């Protein structure tokens, strides 16, 4: 994943009701004498969580109480319905030029 969210999923994660925790859902607490809100212990714990999520991204869903398999099934179902709704629309990816060689700068 490399820390990137696919554009198709950004809304799901980043919207107001998305899966990412809002700032008021996050709090830090440590018993060390450091006065900083984010002491080195909190920073290390957050780094550890981030590293673990990089290794196993589906843990993010478990933390939010979502069954990843069911989530993926529903997402695929919704995508299939969306694709089928467009079945009668002409594709923009079809090359209509009868001289396809010319598109690539190849002469006969």
């Amino acid at each position: 994943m490399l820390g990137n969210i696919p554009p198709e999923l950004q809304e799901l994660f980043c919207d107001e009701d998305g899966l990412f925790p809002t700032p008021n859902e996050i709090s830090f607490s440590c018993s060390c004498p450091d006065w900083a809100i984010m002491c080195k212990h909190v920073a290390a714990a957050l780094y550890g969580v981030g590293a673990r999520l990089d290794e196993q991204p589906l843990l993010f869903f478990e933390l939010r109480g979502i069954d990843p398999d069911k989530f993926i099934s529903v997402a695929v179902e919704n995508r299939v319905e969306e694709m089928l709704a467009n079945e009668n629309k002409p594709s923009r990816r079809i090359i209509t030029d009868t001289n396809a060689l010319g598109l690539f700068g190849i002469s006969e």
Side-chain angles (χ1 to χ4, degrees), residues 6 23 46 55 68 72 75-77 88 93:
L46 291 174
E55 292 172 6
I72 291 169
V76 168
E77 267 181 41
N88 293 323
R93 295 181 283 180

Side-chain angles (χ1 to χ4, degrees), residues 65-100:
I66 297 170
D67 176 5
D69 293 328
K70 185 175 181 180
F71 175 79
I72 291 169
S73 294
V74 169
V76 168
E77 267 181 41
N78 291 342
R79 185 72 175 142
V80 168
E81 288 177 22
E82 181 183 319
M83 290 187 313
L84 289 175
N86 293 318
E87 71 178 323
N88 293 323
K89 293 181 182 176
S91 174
R92 297 181 314 224
R93 295 181 283 180
I94 296 174
I95 298 174
T96 56
D97 188 352
T98 55
N99 183 7

Side-chain angles (χ1 to χ4, degrees), residues 10-105:
Q10 283 183 3
E11 183 177 308
L12 172 70
F13 283 93
C14 301
D15 269 6
E16 185 177 317
D17 295 322
L19 294 174
F20 277 136
T22 61
N24 64 351
E25 292 180 287
I26 301 171
S27 63
F28 306 116
S29 176
C30 184
S31 61
C32 80
D34 192 339
W35 56 267
I37 293 173
M38 189 181 299
C39 68
K40 60 187 172 191
H41 306 105
V42 170
L46 291 174
Y47 179 82
V49 169
R52 187 87 184 266
L53 289 172
D54 278 347
E55 292 172 6
Q56 298 177 339
L58 294 180
L59 285 176
F60 182 81
F61 294 100
E62 288 184 41
L63 290 171
R64 291 308 241 172
I66 297 170
D67 176 5
D69 293 328
K70 185 175 181 180
F71 175 79
I72 291 169
S73 294
V74 169
V76 168
E77 267 181 41
N78 291 342
R79 185 72 175 142
V80 168
E81 288 177 22
E82 181 183 319
M83 290 187 313
L84 289 175
N86 293 318
E87 71 178 323
N88 293 323
K89 293 181 182 176
S91 174
R92 297 181 314 224
R93 295 181 283 180
I94 296 174
I95 298 174
T96 56
D97 188 352
T98 55
N99 183 7
L101 295 176
L103 288 173
F104 299 101

